[in-house]
Amino acid sequence: MNQLPNEPNKRNRQIVAVTGTALLILAALVVPWPIAASAPQARRIEINARQFAYEPATLAVNRGDTITLHLESLDAMHGLFVDGYAVNIQAEPGQSAQVTFVADKEGKFKFRCSVPCGALHPFMLGELTVTPDLPFAHAILATIIVAIGAMVYFWNNP
């Protein structure tokens, strides 16, 4: 079999690329990385309700957080019902109400006024986003992508 002078070097690079990739993937799975999921937090969120809006209208929390929603009505009786959670509170003008729950489901959940408060009541909406708390999984994925990229580079370049 005839080998070109460059063949052994290319073969060595391929072996190094494959071995290096395997080691990086193994390290990503075994090494205790300093990036870890943060512990669930207790969060208190103040929400003002007025005809026909919530302030803030978008909420973002991490899965596992204990959330206390504090609802303050500024002009008429309003409610706050969160789809997908057993959350339904009502506040009269000048009064406040609060509810505490654990954000244990990931996704986007609409919240809406649960008390008819006028002609535009159906449009009084907000959104709760519960994100997964998985930075460790993101680090593993990034490591694997970089390792595969290195392997492809060394595989194709003599």
Side-chain angles (χ1 to χ4, degrees):
M1 182 191 294
N2 289 336
Q3 286 188 347
L4 297 173
N6 203 17
E7 283 290 321
N9 287 338
K10 184 174 183 180
R11 179 78 176 140
N12 290 342
R13 285 188 180 138
Q14 291 171 350
I15 291 170
V16 168
V18 170
T19 304
T21 301
L23 289 174
L24 284 173
I25 292 171
L26 183 63
L29 297 174
V30 175
V31 173
W33 294 92
I35 302 172
S38 61
Q41 298 179 9
R43 297 178 185 242
R44 180 178 168 86
I45 301 173
E46 305 281 335
I47 300 175
N48 289 322
R50 62 174 169 72
Q51 291 181 326
F52 297 96
Y54 291 107
E55 179 62 38
T58 57
L59 309 174
V61 299
N62 290 326
R63 182 176 183 180
D65 287 351
T66 300
I67 310 301
T68 299
L69 297 177
H70 182 87
L71 178 67
E72 184 81 30
S73 175
L74 302 178
D75 55 8
M77 187 161 177
H78 292 288
L80 189 141
F81 173 80
V82 181
D83 293 344
Y85 284 94
V87 171
N88 188 4
I89 55 175
Q90 298 175 354
E92 295 183 23
Q95 301 285 325
S96 63
Q98 72 178 30
V99 64
T100 301
F101 66 100
V102 176
D104 58 356
K105 301 174 213 163
E106 296 172 19
K108 293 185 178 193
F109 303 90
K110 294 289 183 193
F111 59 88
R112 60 191 81 243
C113 185
S114 60
V115 176
C117 57
L120 297 177
H121 164 75
F123 302 101
M124 190 169 171
L125 301 170
E127 186 172 77
L128 168 67
T129 302
V130 181
T131 57
D133 197 13
L134 300 172
F136 183 71
H138 293 231
I140 290 172
L141 181 61
T143 302
I144 291 171
I145 290 170
V146 168
I148 291 171
M151 184 180 81
V152 169
Y153 175 79
F154 286 113
W155 191 271
N156 292 324
N157 294 311

